[in-house]
Amino acid sequence: MGIAMVAGAIVSEVIATLSLRASHGLSRPWPTLVVVIGYAAAFVLLAQALKSLDVGPVYAVWSGLGTVGALVGGVLLFDEQLHTATVVGAGLIVFGVAVMYLGGGLAH
């Protein structure tokens, strides 16, 4: 159940981050509402997940996959440019998250 909560936290955080971009500095009400709800949901889900999972690997998974998700969403939704260094960096993030997950596990 903890893993499902982390996944929900990642999705909520990515949606909130992409909505932050769409809000134009929090000047558009609907995207701003999605930002507030999305981040609140992400933190509630992450807090619940940490009842049964270790904080280090969970935070690595949440922040790393959230970063990659925001990158992909920015490219798909906002036509942001992808550069070789960006792709390499995203790959390193995914690799680092995998190493932390495999090295430390998740459950305590």
Side-chain angles (χ1 to χ4, degrees):
M1 190 59 148
I3 300 292
M5 287 187 208
V6 173
I10 293 166
V11 170
S12 297
E13 188 261 338
V14 169
I15 289 170
T17 301
L18 294 171
S19 297
L20 192 59
R21 168 82 155 74
S23 76
H24 286 273
L26 302 176
S27 65
R28 294 182 175 165
W30 291 113
T32 298
L33 182 62
V34 175
V35 169
V36 172
I37 292 169
Y39 282 130
F43 283 109
V44 167
L45 289 166
L46 193 62
Q48 293 302 310
L50 290 175
K51 287 181 177 179
S52 61
L53 303 175
D54 291 344
V55 69
V58 166
Y59 188 75
V61 168
W62 178 67
S63 62
L65 296 183
T67 299
V68 173
L71 169 70
V72 171
V75 169
L76 295 176
L77 297 174
F78 303 113
D79 294 321
E80 295 177 356
Q81 296 295 311
L82 250 176
H83 302 283
T84 302
T86 308
V87 173
V88 170
L92 289 170
I93 289 170
V94 171
F95 178 74
V97 166
V99 169
M100 283 195 73
Y101 174 76
L102 294 172
L106 286 179
H108 59 259

